[in-house]
Amino acid sequence: MKLQILIGLLSVCITFSTVVAYPQLQIQSDPVPFFPHLKKFSHKNFEITNRLTTSVTPSHYKIRITPIIEPENEEVHLSAPGRVIITVKCNSVTKSITLHSYDIEVDEDALSVKHAIAGTIIPVKGLDKNPDQQTITIQLDMDLTSDEEYLVEIHFVARVADDRLNGLYLSKYIDPTTSNINYHAATQFEAIDARKAFPCFDEPALKATFQITIGRSLAFHSLSNMNIDEDGVEDGLPPRFGYVWDIYHTTTHRMSTYLVALVVSDFTFVTSDSKTNVKVWGPEQLLEQDSGKFAADTSAKMLTFFDSYFGLSYDFPKMDQVAVSDFHYGAMENWGLNLYRPKFLLYTEGVSTQLNKWQISSVIAHEIAHQWIGNVVTMEWWSDLWLNEGLANYLQFVGTAAVTNEYEPWDRFGIDCSQSGLEYDGRADAVPVHVDNETHFVQVPFAGTYQKGSGIIRMMEGFLTEPTLTKGLKKYLKNLEYKNAIQDNLFDYLTQVGYEDDNLPRNLTIKQIMDTWTLQAGFPLIRVSRITDTVFYISQERFSNDANENPDAYTWHVPIPYITNTSPLDETALIPKFWISDDTLLISEKITPKPEWILLNPYAYGFYRVLYDSDLTTALKKQLDTDHLKVPTLSRGQLLDDYFKSAFGEYISIKTAMDLTGFLDKEKTLPVWVPALNNLKIVYNMVKDVDVLGEKFRLYMLSKVTPWFLSTGTQNSVTDTLLRTEILDWACALGNEICLTNATTLLDEWMNSESGEKSFGPDFEATIYCAAVFAGGKLYRDFMLKKYTDENVTPIQQSLFLNALACPNDASLLNEALNMAVNSDSPIRDEDSITLMGRVADNTVGRQVAFSYIKLNVEAILKSR
């Protein structure tokens, strides 16, 4: 912790200068937008010398397990005694059975193998353990017969781990009424952690059906993939005193082990208003304000929508969605039992922001889409994980567009997916979305699997059309139902429908096209130059975030739609006018009549960047400055992102990119402003500590954001609210006096309100708190500290008050904030200390304060906390 404190401070205060101070930006524009369902895998590349043989494969599991989570059971606390009976088929004669088991004690004396029908006992010679490969091998005294089925019975004790958040593990929450710690058990098995809960054939292609029985204390209840058929059963052999069995007699569909799940808890639930059996579960205090209702209703609507979209019914009897207090990932699509971090499932009116609500809608859509993509049809091996995640990421926009279209989801696709996917894939160390490795578990960075994966699906939608792509997905699901797939299976079905609908050139297959996008890293930079009035050169090369890195050179099959100043802005603009093939670096194209300007990749469906020669860039700038609405909205946002990223990569100057922002004072759309501000924040951070240049940039940005800020006294839509949040943040951060005055006025009103009600919504809280503390000083800082320590505020609100403590324009108050962060007897929680210090150092005045603080207080820091 002490080293973290020092590193946290030093990393943000290496440089500073004496400049005019303004409050920090509160909207954290990460280069990779935050997607809570990402980062599912915490494993390093896990080397599997040999995958399991297919001499014996499973068809059914009968699991009985008892997670013991009450602290008073000291001797067996955090253990999970169990038994699994696996029905296996012998595919070739063998005297051994190898399966996965890790961090589990297996009772070797109780091992048994017998013929499934005849009951003939197959003598067990011994058990070999291979912890490096996380396997056990049951050695037999006689051969298993090919094409016969056997029952393998294993008694074991697993751990309910309190030192990891995968496998079967312990989670907890604090009951605010009693201050007691309440425990619950949950699972996270994707990708290779079912083996930590019960011995199994833990590979996605080795699908089977499951029946589960869960032992639990009377103080709890249980959940699993199916509905409970008998609960609270005392069968004469309870696992221990005061325990009962919950029996899930109904067998699941064939599924991979990573989709098995269970929860043992004291949670309560809310239901949807629809006929669909959907429940949202969580600790009682989290559901008190109807916080689960939005998720329950949205989930029910998503299930109904995807039923119709795929033409394939959701075939599980229920859908439970659980807010697990300690959950490493954003969410997990266990079949019939989805698990979430609470903040990505629970929406509280008046507390949660519109961005929170969008994220919740988006994550729910993603996990519900997985009930078909990934669960019904599963990738054969982790090398094709992008089939699961890329498709689900794409389909979350399909789902939200149908169910919660107030967020205009397709306008967010560039912001949330393709632009961050391009950012990742422009790195020299980027890896392909398909990892061609059949014997290793290899983790592809999430921006590749999810965001590039969905980006290239969106590109296929562009050149195939949405109806044709959907038709292909339906065929993929219907023909491979409850089976496994590789990417070529999807490509084959899409080729079939592409030819049927005449939306794919007959000289190309989807495999030929998409192999260039999935089997190699990176993406093309398309350059456009005018040679004569009507002749243009178009070339491709690999884009790099740093043009000096020289990554491996690749080429692609690239669909090239384009528009000119005379083109209609309709769906025909998505149709490729020509293709650049993977054996071609440069082509010439004649375009008549002579266009004033040309714009490739209209509506930004293509997963590539485009740069134009100086004359064409000037022509586009002129059009934007004159009438920016002649250029499609999504193209305006992508054009800015392409040019800024090319400037940061040193393909062009930053001035060239900045010149294209002249129209922003007239721009009123989220998909243009967000990528603009994400990139301009990088420029801002480069220049804000440079006296003259920083001030010039500040004044320029004020000239762009102030007209929008002043014109938005009311908001007419959710997207207006989301954009106003961004603009307000920048206006205050740039020192707009009206913004700062309004912030102190609004906070004054709240501080003096007899009812305690605020006149501003949660979307604007972060900016208002910070701006008021900056402009008003100690009075407002003290109020923020008081609210931070209030036991009745939510974790989200508490984080906003914490951030505000770092916003004063007063060195003494910033020193006090650092002292509170370091001292163990201060009101600042241990887990918040580094966050507070980082925010102080992000403050222009705070940077110098933090640097001085380190020099004067190194010993105190090392002795702290």
Side-chain angles (χ1 to χ4, degrees), residues 290-328:
D290 263 352
S291 299
K293 197 73 175 70
F294 174 75
D297 290 342
T298 301
S299 300
K301 292 174 185 176
M302 289 292 177
L303 284 167
T304 300
F305 167 73
F306 282 119
D307 267 356
S308 172
Y309 178 84
F310 290 120
L312 187 66
S313 295
Y314 175 71
D315 212 12
F316 270 52
K318 54 88 176 181
M319 169 53 71
D320 286 317
Q321 313 237 65
V322 186
V324 178
S325 303
D326 300 299
F327 198 67
H328 187 63

Short mmCIF file of all heavy atoms in Angstrom, two decimals, residues 290-328:
data_model
loop_
_atom_site.label_atom_id
_atom_site.label_comp_id
_atom_site.label_asym_id
_atom_site.label_seq_id
_atom_site.Cartn_x
_atom_site.Cartn_y
_atom_site.Cartn_z
N ASP A 290 -36.82 -0.13 -5.55
CA ASP A 290 -37.20 -0.68 -6.86
C ASP A 290 -36.02 -0.69 -7.82
O ASP A 290 -36.20 -0.58 -9.04
CB ASP A 290 -38.35 0.13 -7.47
CG ASP A 290 -39.70 -0.53 -7.21
OD1 ASP A 290 -39.70 -1.67 -6.71
OD2 ASP A 290 -40.74 0.09 -7.50
N SER A 291 -34.81 -0.84 -7.28
CA SER A 291 -33.62 -0.74 -8.10
C SER A 291 -33.49 -1.88 -9.11
O SER A 291 -32.77 -1.74 -10.10
CB SER A 291 -32.37 -0.70 -7.21
OG SER A 291 -32.40 0.43 -6.38
N GLY A 292 -34.15 -3.00 -8.86
CA GLY A 292 -34.06 -4.12 -9.78
C GLY A 292 -35.16 -4.15 -10.82
O GLY A 292 -35.13 -4.96 -11.75
N LYS A 293 -36.13 -3.25 -10.71
CA LYS A 293 -37.31 -3.31 -11.58
C LYS A 293 -36.96 -3.02 -13.03
O LYS A 293 -37.43 -3.68 -13.96
CB LYS A 293 -38.37 -2.31 -11.10
CG LYS A 293 -39.74 -2.56 -11.67
CD LYS A 293 -40.36 -3.79 -11.01
CE LYS A 293 -41.80 -4.02 -11.47
NZ LYS A 293 -41.93 -4.45 -12.84
N PHE A 294 -36.12 -2.02 -13.24
CA PHE A 294 -35.74 -1.68 -14.61
C PHE A 294 -35.05 -2.86 -15.28
O PHE A 294 -35.34 -3.20 -16.43
CB PHE A 294 -34.82 -0.46 -14.62
CG PHE A 294 -34.26 -0.13 -15.97
CD1 PHE A 294 -35.05 0.47 -16.94
CD2 PHE A 294 -32.94 -0.44 -16.28
CE1 PHE A 294 -34.54 0.75 -18.20
CE2 PHE A 294 -32.42 -0.15 -17.54
CZ PHE A 294 -33.22 0.45 -18.50
N ALA A 295 -34.13 -3.51 -14.55
CA ALA A 295 -33.41 -4.65 -15.12
C ALA A 295 -34.36 -5.81 -15.41
O ALA A 295 -34.24 -6.48 -16.44
CB ALA A 295 -32.30 -5.09 -14.17
N ALA A 296 -35.29 -6.08 -14.50
CA ALA A 296 -36.23 -7.19 -14.71
C ALA A 296 -37.08 -6.95 -15.94
O ALA A 296 -37.25 -7.84 -16.79
CB ALA A 296 -37.10 -7.37 -13.46
N ASP A 297 -37.64 -5.76 -16.06
CA ASP A 297 -38.49 -5.45 -17.21
C ASP A 297 -37.70 -5.44 -18.52
O ASP A 297 -38.16 -5.95 -19.55
CB ASP A 297 -39.19 -4.10 -17.01
CG ASP A 297 -40.24 -4.15 -15.91
OD1 ASP A 297 -40.67 -5.26 -15.54
OD2 ASP A 297 -40.61 -3.07 -15.40
N THR A 298 -36.50 -4.85 -18.47
CA THR A 298 -35.66 -4.81 -19.67
C THR A 298 -35.27 -6.22 -20.10
O THR A 298 -35.29 -6.55 -21.29
CB THR A 298 -34.41 -3.95 -19.42
OG1 THR A 298 -34.81 -2.63 -19.07
CG2 THR A 298 -33.52 -3.89 -20.66
N SER A 299 -34.92 -7.07 -19.15
CA SER A 299 -34.53 -8.44 -19.48
C SER A 299 -35.67 -9.20 -20.13
O SER A 299 -35.47 -9.94 -21.10
CB SER A 299 -34.08 -9.17 -18.21
OG SER A 299 -32.99 -8.53 -17.60
N ALA A 300 -36.88 -9.04 -19.58
CA ALA A 300 -38.04 -9.73 -20.16
C ALA A 300 -38.28 -9.27 -21.59
O ALA A 300 -38.57 -10.09 -22.48
CB ALA A 300 -39.27 -9.46 -19.29
N LYS A 301 -38.15 -7.97 -21.83
CA LYS A 301 -38.35 -7.46 -23.19
C LYS A 301 -37.26 -7.97 -24.13
O LYS A 301 -37.53 -8.28 -25.30
CB LYS A 301 -38.35 -5.93 -23.16
CG LYS A 301 -39.55 -5.32 -22.46
CD LYS A 301 -39.40 -3.81 -22.34
CE LYS A 301 -40.54 -3.19 -21.54
NZ LYS A 301 -40.33 -1.72 -21.33
N MET A 302 -36.03 -8.05 -23.63
CA MET A 302 -34.93 -8.55 -24.46
C MET A 302 -35.15 -10.01 -24.83
O MET A 302 -34.91 -10.41 -25.98
CB MET A 302 -33.59 -8.39 -23.72
CG MET A 302 -33.09 -6.98 -23.57
SD MET A 302 -32.60 -6.23 -25.15
CE MET A 302 -32.18 -4.58 -24.54
N LEU A 303 -35.59 -10.83 -23.88
CA LEU A 303 -35.86 -12.23 -24.18
C LEU A 303 -36.93 -12.36 -25.24
O LEU A 303 -36.81 -13.16 -26.19
CB LEU A 303 -36.28 -12.97 -22.90
CG LEU A 303 -35.17 -13.31 -21.91
CD1 LEU A 303 -35.76 -13.75 -20.58
CD2 LEU A 303 -34.25 -14.39 -22.47
N THR A 304 -38.00 -11.58 -25.12
CA THR A 304 -39.07 -11.61 -26.11
C THR A 304 -38.56 -11.17 -27.48
O THR A 304 -38.88 -11.78 -28.51
CB THR A 304 -40.23 -10.70 -25.66
OG1 THR A 304 -40.73 -11.16 -24.41
CG2 THR A 304 -41.36 -10.70 -26.68
N PHE A 305 -37.75 -10.11 -27.49
CA PHE A 305 -37.23 -9.61 -28.76
C PHE A 305 -36.33 -10.65 -29.44
O PHE A 305 -36.51 -10.95 -30.63
CB PHE A 305 -36.44 -8.32 -28.57
CG PHE A 305 -35.64 -7.94 -29.80
CD1 PHE A 305 -36.28 -7.45 -30.92
CD2 PHE A 305 -34.26 -8.13 -29.83
CE1 PHE A 305 -35.56 -7.14 -32.08
CE2 PHE A 305 -33.54 -7.82 -30.98
CZ PHE A 305 -34.20 -7.33 -32.10
N PHE A 306 -35.37 -11.20 -28.72
CA PHE A 306 -34.44 -12.14 -29.35
C PHE A 306 -35.11 -13.46 -29.73
O PHE A 306 -34.70 -14.11 -30.69
CB PHE A 306 -33.21 -12.36 -28.46
CG PHE A 306 -32.20 -11.25 -28.52
CD1 PHE A 306 -31.88 -10.52 -27.39
CD2 PHE A 306 -31.59 -10.92 -29.71
CE1 PHE A 306 -30.96 -9.48 -27.44
CE2 PHE A 306 -30.66 -9.88 -29.78
CZ PHE A 306 -30.35 -9.16 -28.65
N ASP A 307 -36.14 -13.85 -29.00
CA ASP A 307 -36.97 -14.98 -29.44
C ASP A 307 -37.42 -14.78 -30.88
O ASP A 307 -37.31 -15.66 -31.73
CB ASP A 307 -38.22 -15.11 -28.56
CG ASP A 307 -38.04 -16.06 -27.39
OD1 ASP A 307 -36.99 -16.70 -27.29
OD2 ASP A 307 -38.97 -16.15 -26.57
N SER A 308 -37.96 -13.59 -31.13
CA SER A 308 -38.49 -13.27 -32.46
C SER A 308 -37.36 -13.05 -33.46
O SER A 308 -37.42 -13.52 -34.60
CB SER A 308 -39.37 -12.02 -32.36
OG SER A 308 -39.76 -11.58 -33.63
N TYR A 309 -36.31 -12.36 -33.04
CA TYR A 309 -35.20 -12.01 -33.94
C TYR A 309 -34.54 -13.27 -34.51
O TYR A 309 -34.26 -13.36 -35.71
CB TYR A 309 -34.20 -11.16 -33.18
CG TYR A 309 -32.97 -10.76 -33.98
CD1 TYR A 309 -33.00 -9.65 -34.81
CD2 TYR A 309 -31.78 -11.47 -33.87
CE1 TYR A 309 -31.88 -9.25 -35.53
CE2 TYR A 309 -30.66 -11.10 -34.58
CZ TYR A 309 -30.70 -9.99 -35.41
OH TYR A 309 -29.59 -9.61 -36.12
N PHE A 310 -34.29 -14.24 -33.63
CA PHE A 310 -33.61 -15.46 -34.07
C PHE A 310 -34.58 -16.52 -34.60
O PHE A 310 -34.14 -17.49 -35.23
CB PHE A 310 -32.80 -16.06 -32.91
CG PHE A 310 -31.59 -15.26 -32.53
CD1 PHE A 310 -31.45 -14.76 -31.25
CD2 PHE A 310 -30.59 -15.00 -33.45
CE1 PHE A 310 -30.33 -14.02 -30.88
CE2 PHE A 310 -29.46 -14.26 -33.10
CZ PHE A 310 -29.34 -13.77 -31.81
N GLY A 311 -35.87 -16.36 -34.31
CA GLY A 311 -36.82 -17.41 -34.69
C GLY A 311 -36.56 -18.68 -33.94
O GLY A 311 -36.85 -19.79 -34.42
N LEU A 312 -36.00 -18.56 -32.75
CA LEU A 312 -35.62 -19.71 -31.93
C LEU A 312 -35.91 -19.34 -30.48
O LEU A 312 -35.34 -18.40 -29.95
CB LEU A 312 -34.13 -20.01 -32.11
CG LEU A 312 -33.56 -21.28 -31.47
CD1 LEU A 312 -34.15 -22.52 -32.12
CD2 LEU A 312 -32.03 -21.29 -31.60
N SER A 313 -36.83 -20.06 -29.85
CA SER A 313 -37.31 -19.68 -28.52
C SER A 313 -36.24 -19.89 -27.45
O SER A 313 -35.46 -20.84 -27.51
CB SER A 313 -38.55 -20.50 -28.14
OG SER A 313 -39.61 -20.19 -29.01
N TYR A 314 -36.24 -18.97 -26.49
CA TYR A 314 -35.44 -19.18 -25.28
C TYR A 314 -36.02 -20.38 -24.56
O TYR A 314 -37.18 -20.36 -24.15
CB TYR A 314 -35.49 -17.93 -24.40
CG TYR A 314 -34.78 -18.09 -23.08
CD1 TYR A 314 -33.39 -18.17 -23.02
CD2 TYR A 314 -35.50 -18.17 -21.88
CE1 TYR A 314 -32.73 -18.31 -21.81
CE2 TYR A 314 -34.85 -18.30 -20.66
CZ TYR A 314 -33.47 -18.38 -20.63
OH TYR A 314 -32.82 -18.53 -19.42
N ASP A 315 -35.23 -21.42 -24.40
CA ASP A 315 -35.79 -22.71 -24.01
C ASP A 315 -35.45 -23.12 -22.58
O ASP A 315 -35.45 -24.30 -22.26
CB ASP A 315 -35.31 -23.79 -24.99
CG ASP A 315 -36.35 -24.89 -25.17
OD1 ASP A 315 -37.49 -24.70 -24.72
OD2 ASP A 315 -36.01 -25.94 -25.75
N PHE A 316 -35.12 -22.16 -21.75
CA PHE A 316 -34.96 -22.43 -20.33
C PHE A 316 -36.21 -21.91 -19.61
O PHE A 316 -36.86 -20.98 -20.08
CB PHE A 316 -33.70 -21.78 -19.77
CG PHE A 316 -32.48 -22.66 -19.84
CD1 PHE A 316 -32.10 -23.27 -21.03
CD2 PHE A 316 -31.70 -22.88 -18.72
CE1 PHE A 316 -30.99 -24.08 -21.10
CE2 PHE A 316 -30.58 -23.69 -18.77
CZ PHE A 316 -30.22 -24.30 -19.95
N PRO A 317 -36.58 -22.50 -18.47
CA PRO A 317 -37.86 -22.13 -17.85
C PRO A 317 -37.85 -20.78 -17.15
O PRO A 317 -38.91 -20.29 -16.75
CB PRO A 317 -38.07 -23.26 -16.82
CG PRO A 317 -36.69 -23.72 -16.47
CD PRO A 317 -35.91 -23.61 -17.76
N LYS A 318 -36.69 -20.18 -16.99
CA LYS A 318 -36.63 -18.90 -16.25
C LYS A 318 -35.35 -18.18 -16.60
O LYS A 318 -34.45 -18.73 -17.25
CB LYS A 318 -36.71 -19.16 -14.74
CG LYS A 318 -35.69 -20.16 -14.19
CD LYS A 318 -34.35 -19.57 -13.79
CE LYS A 318 -33.42 -20.57 -13.16
NZ LYS A 318 -32.13 -19.97 -12.75
N MET A 319 -35.27 -16.94 -16.15
CA MET A 319 -34.04 -16.17 -16.26
C MET A 319 -33.85 -15.42 -14.95
O MET A 319 -34.59 -14.49 -14.63
CB MET A 319 -34.10 -15.18 -17.43
CG MET A 319 -32.96 -14.15 -17.45
SD MET A 319 -31.31 -14.86 -17.37
CE MET A 319 -31.17 -15.58 -18.98
N ASP A 320 -32.89 -15.87 -14.16
CA ASP A 320 -32.52 -15.17 -12.93
C ASP A 320 -31.31 -14.29 -13.22
O ASP A 320 -30.34 -14.73 -13.85
CB ASP A 320 -32.16 -16.17 -11.82
CG ASP A 320 -33.38 -16.87 -11.25
OD1 ASP A 320 -34.38 -16.18 -11.01
OD2 ASP A 320 -33.33 -18.10 -11.05
N GLN A 321 -31.35 -13.06 -12.72
CA GLN A 321 -30.24 -12.13 -12.85
C GLN A 321 -29.87 -11.69 -11.44
O GLN A 321 -30.71 -11.17 -10.71
CB GLN A 321 -30.66 -10.92 -13.68
CG GLN A 321 -31.40 -11.31 -14.97
CD GLN A 321 -30.72 -10.76 -16.19
OE1 GLN A 321 -29.60 -11.13 -16.52
NE2 GLN A 321 -31.39 -9.87 -16.87
N VAL A 322 -28.61 -11.89 -11.09
CA VAL A 322 -28.21 -11.73 -9.69
C VAL A 322 -27.12 -10.66 -9.57
O VAL A 322 -26.11 -10.70 -10.29
CB VAL A 322 -27.69 -13.06 -9.10
CG1 VAL A 322 -27.41 -12.91 -7.61
CG2 VAL A 322 -28.69 -14.18 -9.34
N ALA A 323 -27.33 -9.73 -8.65
CA ALA A 323 -26.31 -8.73 -8.32
C ALA A 323 -25.42 -9.31 -7.23
O ALA A 323 -25.82 -9.38 -6.07
CB ALA A 323 -26.98 -7.44 -7.84
N VAL A 324 -24.23 -9.75 -7.61
CA VAL A 324 -23.29 -10.37 -6.67
C VAL A 324 -22.35 -9.30 -6.15
O VAL A 324 -21.71 -8.58 -6.93
CB VAL A 324 -22.49 -11.50 -7.36
CG1 VAL A 324 -21.49 -12.12 -6.40
CG2 VAL A 324 -23.44 -12.57 -7.89
N SER A 325 -22.26 -9.18 -4.85
CA SER A 325 -21.52 -8.07 -4.25
C SER A 325 -20.07 -8.01 -4.71
O SER A 325 -19.55 -6.94 -5.03
CB SER A 325 -21.58 -8.18 -2.72
OG SER A 325 -22.91 -8.20 -2.27
N ASP A 326 -19.40 -9.15 -4.71
CA ASP A 326 -18.00 -9.21 -5.16
C ASP A 326 -17.97 -10.00 -6.45
O ASP A 326 -18.11 -11.23 -6.45
CB ASP A 326 -17.13 -9.89 -4.10
CG ASP A 326 -17.15 -9.15 -2.77
OD1 ASP A 326 -16.73 -7.99 -2.74
OD2 ASP A 326 -17.60 -9.74 -1.78
N PHE A 327 -17.79 -9.27 -7.55
CA PHE A 327 -17.80 -9.93 -8.86
C PHE A 327 -16.73 -9.28 -9.71
O PHE A 327 -16.77 -8.07 -9.94
CB PHE A 327 -19.18 -9.79 -9.51
CG PHE A 327 -19.42 -10.78 -10.62
CD1 PHE A 327 -19.52 -12.14 -10.35
CD2 PHE A 327 -19.56 -10.36 -11.93
CE1 PHE A 327 -19.73 -13.05 -11.37
CE2 PHE A 327 -19.77 -11.26 -12.96
CZ PHE A 327 -19.87 -12.61 -12.68
N HIS A 328 -15.77 -10.08 -10.14
CA HIS A 328 -14.57 -9.53 -10.77
C HIS A 328 -14.88 -8.90 -12.12
O HIS A 328 -14.25 -7.93 -12.53
CB HIS A 328 -13.52 -10.62 -10.93
CG HIS A 328 -12.19 -10.11 -11.41
ND1 HIS A 328 -11.44 -9.22 -10.69
CD2 HIS A 328 -11.50 -10.34 -12.56
CE1 HIS A 328 -10.31 -8.95 -11.36
NE2 HIS A 328 -10.35 -9.60 -12.50
#
